[in-house]
Amino acid sequence: MQQVAALRWGTDESDAEGLRRTIGRGLREVFVAAADDPTRIRPLWTLFSRGDPLPLAKASRALGEPLLAAALEGGVLAAFEIDDEVWVRAEVSVLTAPVGELGVLVAADFGWHEDDREYVGGPGNATATLLDVVASLDVPPGLAVDVGTGSGAVAVWLRSRFATVTATDVNPRALALAELTAALNDSQIDVVQMSFVDGLTGDAALIACNPPFVVGADAPVVFRDAHPGLDPAMLAASFRAHLAPGGYAVLLANWPYRDGADARAALAAALDEVTDDASDVLLVERAVTTPEQYAAVWRDDPDEQQAWAMRLRGDGILGVGSGFIVIAAAGDDEPGQVDVAAAHQASDEPVGTAVGAWAARVRALREGDDDLASLVVRAAPAQQAEHAGVGVLRAGGPLGLAVHGPAVQIAQVAQPLLAECTEPRRVGDAIEAVPMARTLGRSAIFSLVRALVRTGLLVPCEVASTSGNKSNSETLH
Ligand SMILES: C[S@@+](CC[C@H](N)C(=O)[O-])C[C@H]1O[C@@H](n2cnc3c(N)ncnc32)[C@H](O)[C@@H]1O
């Protein structure tokens, strides 16, 4: 196994940062200038995409002497001799990668270093899921934090939307590469070595985190993105403690199903603590996979897959749930609620729009009952079911959130309320129009209406946006 070369830190910290900025900006200029010229792009492709060596003279022609010298000094390139000829090869890959809607020049490690402890990967499917959700949220202006930044791609994307971005990681090589990625994109981010948000100063408008969530850290095949003891609920609570009023945290997570226990419900129960801290929480499970399917996501080698799956099964793990947690910090002091969605259908389809709509609805519900009565809503399509005296009304869309209640209440109050709102209608007027609603009492009827809005069975037609520049709800026309 080849060791990942340390990116040199220079004689002191500021020298190293300056060197990385020089290299990043220089490489950016060279990449931009070569974009439409195959003869100029070929040597860059050889070095930074394929990871193949080039004779020093060719590298010098492609990069120019000063940039070549800086890249060698900074450890981005390494020189070696074959038969008295000097060659160079890249120690870091530089590729344009899709990051959200952007094309970002990303500095990351070549795949053949994957098993190295300090390996830093580029953005992948999990990154795309994180950004799909983050992009859907109407986040107030303020500090954005990319926790576990790796290559820095997410931080650079955040910087296109937020004036101040802090990127954290425990891996010094990740922080160096994040700085390089920022320079490659002419972006300014603050890079800080810390574990998750321990020691973060100031409250954040947004915390985005694609953590080392992989289950099976103690398997014979130790996986780099596994973090023994990572507890998503504890991580969520620590993020909540660093959110400004109106802010959001989005955290990807995996959770093991052991011996038939309901891991999703257990995680939801643990997240309930976060809601005491004036916030609403959405837990979305996108898929549950068998140990064999799970191991195949992370490993290509069939023997390694089998060893990993057997170890998971040996630990009593029968399946692994994967998804994400969204925390919406309130601007008031009232506790919130955990909503749980099993969005399993087409687990690779984006759900960001549905999450953004959920966030807008729970924000609207932060208003008191008087404001709720004057909220204009419209009913969304619902599926209904009944089992052992319990009625269920399930909203359509990928989240499929549901309202449960006594079957008689669902049939005689909830359904007629929805029927009253096939056109936009004030909540108070709809309640007045349903005779059985008035018999429930004010507190019970408003709590039912809140449940209908939370789940998306009633959609607010106009929700004041937090930052005033976006609304995730329907608008009244
Ligand atoms: C799955 S990668 C995510 C990289 C990048 N944010 C992305 O989405 O493409 C997880 C990152 O978390 C970092 N990490 C691991 N433990 C950490 C900790 N305790 N605190 C902060 N970051 C950590 C790893 O070094 C790695 O860079």
Side-chain angles (χ1 to χ4, degrees), residues 132-147:
D132 170 48
V133 175
V134 168
S136 76
L137 300 169
D138 194 6
V139 183
L143 170 70
V145 185
D146 173 20
V147 175

Side-chain angles (χ1 to χ4, degrees), residues 298-354:
W298 302 106
R299 284 288 169 189
D300 293 330
D301 182 279
D303 291 339
E304 289 181 350
Q305 286 176 15
Q306 200 189 8
W308 195 353
M310 277 174 62
R311 180 59 186 259
L312 290 174
R313 286 196 181 275
D315 282 350
I317 295 173
L318 305 178
V320 181
S322 54
F324 57 86
I325 297 162
V326 181
I327 303 166
D332 54 48
D333 293 333
E334 293 298 313
Q337 182 177 320
V338 181
D339 290 318
V340 184
H344 291 182
Q345 67 282 33
S347 64
D348 48 351
E349 268 178 33
V351 292
T353 305

Side-chain angles (χ1 to χ4, degrees), residues 27-101:
L27 280 176
R28 174 183 178 76
E29 279 175 25
V30 171
F31 270 85
V32 169
D36 298 324
D37 181 346
T39 57
R40 294 183 73 184
I41 203 75
R42 196 167 299 124
L44 301 177
W45 171 256
T46 304
L47 277 174
F48 294 106
S49 177
R50 292 179 57 86
D52 287 343
L54 265 189
L56 182 71
K58 273 196 177 176
S60 176
R61 273 201 298 282
L63 301 178
E65 200 55 49
L67 178 57
L68 176 71
L72 286 165
E73 159 71 10
V76 170
L77 292 177
F80 60 101
E81 271 186 36
I82 305 176
D83 297 336
D84 293 336
E85 190 183 3
V86 182
W87 291 66
V88 294
R89 67 156 190 264
E91 296 289 335
V92 170
S93 87
V94 177
L95 289 172
T96 304
V99 181
E101 74 288 3

Side-chain angles (χ1 to χ4, degrees), residues 23-411:
I23 299 165
R25 288 181 182 161
L27 280 176
R28 174 183 178 76
E29 279 175 25
V30 171
F31 270 85
V32 169
D36 298 324
D37 181 346
T39 57
R40 294 183 73 184
I41 203 75
R42 196 167 299 124
L44 301 177
W45 171 256
T46 304
L47 277 174
F48 294 106
S49 177
R50 292 179 57 86
D52 287 343
L54 265 189
L56 182 71
K58 273 196 177 176
S60 176
R61 273 201 298 282
L63 301 178
E65 200 55 49
L67 178 57
L68 176 71
L72 286 165
E73 159 71 10
V76 170
L77 292 177
F80 60 101
E81 271 186 36
I82 305 176
D83 297 336
D84 293 336
E85 190 183 3
V86 182
W87 291 66
V88 294
R89 67 156 190 264
E91 296 289 335
V92 170
S93 87
V94 177
L95 289 172
T96 304
V99 181
E101 74 288 3
L102 303 179
V104 173
L105 272 170
V106 177
D109 280 319
F110 288 108
W112 48 84
H113 291 303
E114 193 179 25
D115 289 324
D116 192 275
R117 263 174 55 80
E118 290 210 322
Y119 171 81
V120 179
N125 293 342
T127 319
T129 300
L130 180 70
L131 296 188
D132 170 48
V133 175
V134 168
S136 76
L137 300 169
D138 194 6
V139 183
L143 170 70
V145 185
D146 173 20
V147 175
T149 193
S151 67
V154 169
V156 166
W157 181 87
L158 289 172
R159 187 63 180 79
S160 70
R161 295 170 175 236
F162 292 85
T164 324
V165 174
T166 295
T168 78
D169 210 293
V170 278
N171 179 357
R173 184 169 173 83
L175 297 172
L177 288 177
E179 279 175 356
L180 196 55
T181 295
L184 279 163
N185 295 279
D186 208 8
S187 179
Q188 290 255 313
I189 58 172
D190 296 321
V191 161
V192 189
Q193 185 171 18
M194 67 172 67
S195 183
F196 300 117
V197 287
D198 294 351
L200 185 72
T201 50
D203 285 343
L206 175 75
I207 298 177
C209 181
N210 172 9
F213 54 68
V214 178
V215 173
D218 54 352
V221 187
V222 175
F223 190 74
R224 65 190 145 80
D225 275 336
H227 186 281
L230 186 79
D231 178 339
M234 278 177 65
L235 205 50
S238 72
F239 289 176
R240 172 61 189 100
H242 285 91
L243 283 183
Y248 289 94
V250 182
L251 160 65
L252 303 186
N254 282 186
W255 42 93
Y257 280 83
R258 290 173 194 278
D259 297 332
D262 188 344
R264 187 176 72 214
L267 178 55
L271 286 166
D272 203 40
E273 206 177 298
V274 180
T275 65
D276 291 344
D277 200 357
S279 38
D280 289 287
V281 175
L282 177 66
L283 167 61
V284 179
E285 184 175 76
R286 300 282 359 242
V288 180
T289 46
T290 63
E292 290 71 22
Q293 292 166 330
Y294 191 71
V297 171
W298 302 106
R299 284 288 169 189
D300 293 330
D301 182 279
D303 291 339
E304 289 181 350
Q305 286 176 15
Q306 200 189 8
W308 195 353
M310 277 174 62
R311 180 59 186 259
L312 290 174
R313 286 196 181 275
D315 282 350
I317 295 173
L318 305 178
V320 181
S322 54
F324 57 86
I325 297 162
V326 181
I327 303 166
D332 54 48
D333 293 333
E334 293 298 313
Q337 182 177 320
V338 181
D339 290 318
V340 184
H344 291 182
Q345 67 282 33
S347 64
D348 48 351
E349 268 178 33
V351 292
T353 305
V355 173
W358 169 86
R361 294 195 306 268
V362 298
R363 287 263 180 257
L365 288 173
R366 284 274 156 191
E367 306 300 331
D369 285 350
D370 289 342
D371 289 314
L372 186 59
S374 53
L375 190 70
V376 177
V377 293
R378 183 209 293 265
Q383 291 170 352
Q384 64 182 92
E386 188 184 326
H387 181 64
V390 177
V392 180
L393 276 174
R394 190 173 296 284
L399 298 185
L401 296 172
V403 172
H404 300 80
V408 61
Q409 194 184 90
I410 296 291

